Structures are given as C-alpha cells and as structure tokens.
Amino acid sequence: MRYSTFAPPVSLSHLVRCFWVLESDAQSSGYIHRSMADCCTELLFHYKGLFHEIDEQERRTLSFRSGIHAQSYRYRRFITHEDFGIFGAYLYPYASKLLLNTPAAEFTNQMPDLHSALGPQGRELEERIILAPNTQERIRILSDFIHGRLSKLPTGYDHPAVSAVKYTVHAKHLPKVRDLASRFNLSERQFERKFSEYAGMSPKRFMRIVRFENACNLYRNKLEKSLTEIAYECGYFDQSHFIRDFKTFSGYEPGQYFSGHAEGTEWRD
C-alpha cells in the first residue's frame, strides 16, 4: 500500500488542503477501503482499477471513475480485487460553493460523478487526469482547472463564514458556537445560517466531526496513549460520548480502530 500527499500551490492553499495518491497491487482476498465521516470534500480520480461500494445489505454497486466525495457524517465501504491507483484533491467543504456555485449542503453525504457535477468539462477533466503520465502532471492539470474556475468568481466572495469554516477545520480546541460567531463578527443566527451554507452542515455537527477527526489523527500514536487520554485530549466530555460519536462516524468502537487491525486502515500505516 503506497500513500503520498503533496502540498498545493500557495495560490490554492485557501481551497485545497493537499493532493494525494493511493496505490496498491491486487490482493487475493480483495482490499476493503472505509471512508469515514469527514468535514471536508474530495475530488477523486481512479486512474487504475475501480471499486464497488458495499451497502449495509452487502450488495455491491460499481463506483465512479471520477467524482466528488462530499463532506459527510456517515461512513461507507468499498472493495476492489484489482491493482488500483487513485489521485485525489482534499478540499475545504466550501469548495462546492465556490467552484460549482452550489451550496455545500446539496452535496452532503453524496458522491456524484464528475460528469453529473460538471457536465462536458467533467468528462474532459477526467480524461486528462486518467491519461496523465505521472502525479506531478495530474497536480498541474487539476491546479490549472481550479485556477480557471476561481478566475470566474466575482471579487469579494470570501465571506467571514468561509474563514470560520477553515478555522474550525484546523481547531484543536473547539469553541462554542456563540464564541465562534463573535470571533467573526456575525450574530449567532446569521453565523449558523451562513456556516451551514458553506460547510454543508450545522456548526455543532461540523464540530463533532472535527473532534472525531482529531481523535483519528492520533492513530499513529495509538500505542502511546490510552483511549481515555485520546478522548480527553480531543475535548470529549466523557468516555461514553467518545465511543458513541466514534461508532456513528466510523462504524468502529474506538478500541477496535486503535488496535491497528481495523478494516480499511492499511493506508495509514
């Protein structure tokens, strides 16, 4: 399993958190990937191999060749028996509002293919990314495309709620909603409405997912911290709250996830 990340151009760092590549050779038993709840959005391009999504009844549906994995408060499972290569751009959730002129909430928990989201431009972009000879060329093609979409936006599109969403994504100690609204000079009611427009969900749910992601990011330190220490460090009120949120957003008990043997975590190792 080979996983690498790449920093975006400085000119896109307000929109793109990183570019990434995940590759693997075929496994006889198949590889199951689990996408967990995430406060951010991804553009995905399968340049080698394809996955099937597995639903709760274990039925399988062929996934897209390229598409959008929007911000989500649910987990999903995918399987492949092929060699595969995936190129992705990890975006802040307000990307759909800025790049597609669509409120983020319309994409929440959705995975539309790129053709549906972008029409002919989506088909052209998919073909260019799939046929590109290497990762650096894929980054260049996608960066040029995003720059082109941004150039068509009116000036002054950076609403305070956009800054609030970005601030929250990176927060290690999450504030109360009223304090966050005050920080960005918005009334609490206005803040909740605009934040939801750009983040795709309410501030409270968004913060729950950020807290969950902060816990997941301690995965590499799983042998150095107890579950109680992880819960406390990430701001959970008690162990039961931690367990409930973790299972809702990942499908795992925390102990199972941090054991190092959970399905679909190989890419983190």
Side-chain angles (χ1 to χ4, degrees), residues 46-57:
H46 295 255
Y47 57 85
K48 183 196 299 182
L50 285 174
F51 282 71
H52 283 78
E53 182 168 6
I54 310 170
D55 68 15
E56 293 180 354
Q57 287 75 44

Side-chain angles (χ1 to χ4, degrees), residues 3 9 17 21 52 66 105 118-119 134 137 147 158 169 173 185 189 191 226 239 242 257 261 263:
Y3 175 68
R17 295 185 65 181
V21 173
H52 283 78
S66 66
L118 291 171
N134 53 53
E137 183 64 10
H147 274 127
D158 194 4
V169 166
H173 302 285
N185 300 310
R189 185 172 182 179
F191 174 79
S226 69
Q239 191 80 354
F242 174 48
Y257 180 79
H261 303 294
E263 169 191 275

